[in-house]
Amino acid sequence: MLLLVPSLGIRSIISNGNLPLRNARLRSDQLISRHSSNFAVRHRYRMHTAYFRQLPDEEQCAISFRVASERYRIDKVFNFSRNVAENVDASLERMRANIEKEVRKREAAGKSAKKKGKTAPVEGAGEGLGEALPDVRVRFFDVEKNEDVRDVAFAELLSKVRDEREILLKVLDDDFRIDLNSPTVLAVSLPQSILAGFFVYPSKLEMVFTDKERSEFLWYRGKMPKSNNAQQIEWVLAGTGYSYMAKPDDVGHHLKFSCVPKNELKAGPLTEVISGTQVQAGPGQCPFEVRHLFTQNKLTNQYQFRVVTYNILADLYADSDYSRTELFGYCPNYALHIDYRKQLFIKEILGYNADIVCLQEVDGKVYDLDLLPVFRVKNFDGHYKAKGKTAEGLATFFDCNRFEVLDRQGITFGENLETLEPFQGLWNQIKSNEKLASRIKDRSTAIQATLLRSRQNPAKHLLVANTHFYFHPDADHIRLLQGGLSMLYVRDLYERFESQYGLDRNHFAIVFCGDFNSTPECGMFRLMTQRFVGTEMADWQSNEEEAVRGVSLAQPFPFQSACGTPKYTNFTVGFKACIDYIYYQCDALRVNDVVPLPSEDELAAYDAIPSPVFPSDHVALVASLEWNHKSG
């Protein structure tokens, strides 16, 4: 018995790599849906419940119910989509015709099987063949009025249901309670790569009318039998929760993810999905796991907090023929795949037990489908700033147990150069050089800012900035200008927030993280640590046609680099240097400790990074900072 269930308009349920199911007999309460991707999801529907779903502003209502009748020799889930402006009589006739077609098909199959003396292919199909079946009837019934609902718009029927009128859908011999807008899983899939020792979670989970925190998530593991029939896998409960840390004992097993969507009023139908790949052995000990030995516990001192900055290498730049053959040709292709890499960098970031995390080169989809859902389970919140029309950008996260967010800001420099008031002085100095002005305006470089208040000591406030400067080798002048613009922007926000919230400068500090694409010899490092860059700075002449003349930069805040100037924070075959920093305002904060960076031997174990044990071409910087002024 094969039951086809594209239930309630579910689309693209499983991504490539999840298991097809063979045409095998199922328990009566289990239904299998098969979709064009040829992968399967299992839904369980309560008997005698018709699920209706209509999203706000949608003209269609999705309907799904299971008809199981020995008398009519049928066990099938039916799915319909009806326009809310349609007359219910037309809707009922459409449903009746489809159900009758299925009944007659099963009836014919049963007669044929009996005539040939074979076992009926459908459960109950050969029973009671002498009985003449009555016509198929489908109707809506108003219990309070004790009459059928006829000749009204479908929208009016839904209105009655919303008003808690008891309306039944009567199909054949059964009455179905109408469940309108029950919590529902629209789409769910598991990743193509699952490694023991790393977190696994749905690569896609779309739900409606659902409170994720109330929903129930279970993980099972099972071995594929020799028949290669996924329906015959014997499942054992392995874990609970949205994410699951795959164990060494899971290697060689498939995983099944089970979800019961819930809200404060009710639960929806259970949905299950089976991984298309077995759990694989991990890459062995990763260098970041050694670094985790320094961050085994969260900081609890109210005056201390741990910061991470990390360029995680956007899939946009790793998943191309050029990246695989030229840029990162030394890295095995599987280790460049985002489903592999994200397992590593998520485990790495979470293992640092940080309070503030600033990330660069974050794919929009990775933020939405991976980072934000997983980090929220760990009680982090965050926000994202795309780099113009580029599919990657900046993400800043903070631990909600340690900080409360007061404000979130973000801009791209190029789009605001000519209009943002703090930029006008610098813009007026450079706009006469048309090539320079055009190049800096065309850049998608962005900056993100987050105002945080300490929950343990509400007098303490942090302004956390996050950026990723332009990369080109001949663009030291562009990066230095972007540094000047950054500090103009940060200073404007600092003074605005200081006034708006009445903040005390002894208890209000800036932390500025990012991939600045600037070595310690460049002007950006000087601007941050010495507060001034003069007209003589060599960076201004990095491109002769775009040379910056007569411009000096200054900023008022005393900064230091929390991790100093390590030899490498970026390590590829073509380029190795220190270009990532955690700058902190040193008149208000001091460094408590810094997590040691990987050795050069570790970085070069596979020639360079990324590699099977390093998910990015950059190394994460991790430092604990402490307030200088304890009172407040």
Side-chain angles (χ1 to χ4, degrees):
M1 176 176 65
L2 178 65
L3 303 176
L4 304 178
V5 193
S7 70
L8 291 177
I10 295 178
R11 66 187 189 282
S12 304
I13 296 293
I14 302 301
S15 64
N16 290 340
N18 291 285
L19 286 172
L21 295 172
R22 291 180 178 270
N23 188 355
R25 193 175 296 271
L26 307 178
R27 298 197 308 272
S28 63
D29 66 337
Q30 285 193 337
L31 305 177
I32 300 297
S33 67
R34 184 176 303 211
H35 300 267
S36 59
S37 57
N38 207 32
F39 306 122
V41 164
R42 180 175 289 133
H43 305 277
R44 295 184 185 180
Y45 289 86
R46 293 192 296 274
M47 292 292 290
H48 299 152
T49 300
Y51 294 96
F52 284 41
R53 175 172 59 80
Q54 191 213 1
L55 297 175
D57 302 323
E58 281 195 1
E59 296 182 352
Q60 298 296 118
C61 179
I63 304 168
S64 184
F65 54 89
R66 176 186 172 199
V67 177
S69 171
E70 290 187 6
R71 181 185 183 193
Y72 285 86
R73 298 177 285 280
I74 187 172
D75 190 340
K76 179 179 173 63
V77 169
F78 290 89
N79 299 278
F80 303 93
S81 179
R82 310 312 303 165
N83 191 293
V84 296
E86 183 179 64
N87 190 290
V88 294
D89 293 352
S91 301
L92 289 168
E93 174 55 26
R94 180 63 179 269
M95 288 189 272
R96 187 206 64 77
N98 276 266
I99 295 169
E100 182 173 57
K101 180 180 179 181
E102 189 66 27
V103 167
R104 301 311 171 197
K105 184 171 67 175
R106 300 299 178 98
E107 182 180 23
K111 289 179 179 179
S112 176
K114 185 173 183 180
K115 183 176 181 180
K116 295 178 180 180
K118 296 180 179 180
T119 303
V122 179
E123 185 174 350
E127 300 172 8
L129 289 177
E131 176 188 358
L133 293 176
D135 292 338
V136 172
R137 293 192 63 199
V138 181
R139 57 199 176 105
F140 290 115
F141 185 76
D142 188 325
V143 175
E144 181 181 330
K145 291 187 175 182
N146 194 32
E147 63 183 20
D148 290 348
V149 179
R150 301 184 62 85
D151 198 27
V152 297
F154 207 95
E156 185 175 336
L157 173 77
L158 294 178
S159 179
K160 295 176 185 289
V161 176
R162 289 191 180 95
D163 291 341
E164 299 185 356
R165 290 272 290 277
E166 188 175 359
I167 306 294
L168 300 178
L169 172 64
K170 290 178 172 283
V171 180
L172 303 178
D173 300 327
D174 294 324
D175 294 345
F176 291 83
R177 178 181 64 85
I178 296 176
D179 189 338
L180 177 61
N181 291 343
S182 179
T184 304
V185 175
L186 295 180
V188 59
S189 61
L190 295 179
Q192 297 179 34
S193 172
I194 303 175
L195 301 176
F198 293 82
F199 288 105
V200 60
Y201 50 89
S203 53
K204 176 184 285 187
L205 180 61
E206 296 179 9
M207 302 184 289
V208 290
F209 310 115
T210 301
D211 183 342
K212 188 175 178 181
E213 293 184 358
R214 296 176 186 269
S215 299
E216 178 181 323
F217 306 110
L218 299 174
W219 293 87
Y220 299 85
R221 70 174 188 181
K223 282 266 192 181
M224 180 68 71
K226 292 182 179 179
S227 65
N228 203 34
N229 185 346
Q231 297 173 14
Q232 297 174 352
I233 296 176
E234 295 182 3
W235 297 105
V236 177
L237 182 65
T240 62
Y242 177 79
S243 62
Y244 168 65
M245 176 71 79
K247 303 178 180 64
D249 290 346
D250 296 333
V251 173
H253 292 73
H254 290 270
L255 296 182
K256 180 174 72 171
F257 175 71
S258 169
C259 171
V260 178
K262 299 179 180 180
N263 57 33
E264 61 182 358
L265 299 176
K266 56 187 175 180
L270 176 147
T271 300
E272 297 175 325
V273 59
I274 301 170
S275 64
T277 57
Q278 298 175 353
V279 178
Q280 299 172 312
Q285 187 179 63
C286 296
F288 65 73
E289 293 177 290
V290 177
R291 303 182 76 196
H292 288 169
L293 297 176
F294 296 89
T295 59
Q296 295 182 60
N297 300 305
K298 295 282 289 188
L299 296 176
T300 57
N301 188 315
Q302 64 174 313
Y303 299 109
Q304 297 177 354
F305 54 94
R306 185 176 291 136
V307 181
V308 171
T309 188
Y310 196 5
N311 179 325
I312 60 175
L313 178 58
D315 187 44
L316 176 68
Y317 307 132
D319 185 23
S320 69
D321 290 339
Y322 175 73
S323 298
R324 287 186 288 268
T325 59
E326 300 293 333
L327 192 59
F328 306 127
Y330 49 85
C331 182
N333 285 345
Y334 74 86
L336 283 176
H337 196 286
I338 189 60
D339 271 3
Y340 181 92
R341 291 195 301 113
K342 68 187 180 185
Q343 293 178 84
L344 271 65
F345 63 64
I346 285 178
K347 181 178 182 180
E348 177 179 5
I349 295 166
L350 292 176
Y352 291 133
N353 279 310
D355 302 299
I356 297 168
V357 178
C358 294
L359 303 177
Q360 304 85 42
E361 286 197 25
V362 180
D363 296 277
K365 289 183 178 179
V366 170
Y367 177 82
D368 290 332
L369 301 178
D370 300 284
L371 292 169
L372 189 60
V374 173
F375 281 32
R376 278 182 170 168
V377 171
K378 305 299 180 183
N379 210 38
F380 278 80
D381 195 9
H383 64 122
Y384 180 77
K385 175 59 185 174
K387 291 169 58 178
K389 296 180 181 180
T390 309
E392 56 96 357
L394 309 166
T396 298
F397 294 94
F398 57 92
D399 186 338
C400 296
N401 290 325
R402 301 295 310 277
F403 292 102
E404 171 190 3
V405 62
L406 300 183
D407 208 319
R408 312 172 198 232
Q409 298 287 335
I411 63 165
T412 55
F413 293 122
E415 294 174 354
N416 290 274
L417 264 176
E418 297 177 275
T419 57
L420 201 64
E421 194 278 331
F423 294 165
Q424 294 315 295
L426 183 54
W427 171 244
N428 288 333
Q429 289 182 276
I430 65 172
K431 66 182 182 181
S432 59
N433 184 329
E434 292 184 4
K435 288 189 176 180
L436 170 63
S438 176
R439 191 175 188 189
I440 195 168
K441 281 174 58 180
D442 289 345
R443 304 280 65 79
S444 61
T445 305
I447 186 170
Q448 187 180 41
T450 313
L451 180 63
L452 300 175
R453 173 188 289 157
S454 170
R455 290 192 182 275
Q456 295 166 292
N457 192 336
K460 304 294 187 186
H461 293 76
L462 291 172
L463 178 55
V464 179
N466 182 19
T467 194
H468 182 194
F469 286 177
Y470 184 45
F471 73 94
H472 203 279
D474 78 341
D476 286 339
H477 62 306
I478 299 293
R479 285 185 284 276
L480 186 49
L481 286 171
Q482 290 177 341
L485 294 168
S486 295
M487 291 314 301
L488 289 170
Y489 180 71
V490 169
R491 178 178 182 175
D492 182 66
L493 288 178
Y494 182 93
E495 293 174 350
R496 189 196 318 168
F497 292 149
E498 180 185 28
S499 173
Q500 180 178 349
Y501 294 98
L503 303 182
D504 181 343
R505 290 200 173 195
N506 287 325
H507 308 291
F508 182 26
I510 301 168
V511 176
F512 193 2
C513 299
D515 173 0
F516 296 88
N517 272 312
S518 303
T519 65
E521 296 75 31
C522 290
M524 181 59 190
F525 189 81
R526 180 183 296 183
L527 177 64
M528 295 301 289
T529 58
Q530 298 181 27
R531 303 195 227 180
F532 179 79
V533 171
T535 58
E536 79 290 347
M537 188 70 201
D539 294 31
W540 295 133
Q541 312 300 319
S542 61
N543 182 300
E544 185 175 345
E545 290 185 333
E546 301 168 2
V548 180
R549 306 188 192 283
V551 174
S552 61
L553 300 175
Q555 61 88 11
F557 305 102
F559 283 105
Q560 292 294 329
S561 171
C563 299
T565 55
K567 190 173 182 180
Y568 307 115
T569 65
N570 180 227
F571 194 92
T572 68
V573 166
F575 181 82
K576 304 174 178 67
C578 171
I579 56 176
D580 303 87
Y581 304 88
I582 299 173
Y583 291 114
Y584 69 99
Q585 194 176 329
C586 54
D587 60 341
L589 302 168
R590 63 174 176 263
V591 177
N592 189 51
D593 60 59
V594 174
V595 174
L597 273 70
S599 68
E600 188 169 347
D601 287 342
E602 290 174 312
L603 294 170
Y606 292 84
D607 292 334
I609 61 175
S611 74
V613 294
F614 282 96
S616 174
D617 56 337
H618 288 250
V619 177
L621 298 183
V622 187
S624 297
L625 302 177
E626 184 172 354
W627 289 94
N628 289 333
H629 304 279
K630 298 300 191 290
S631 61

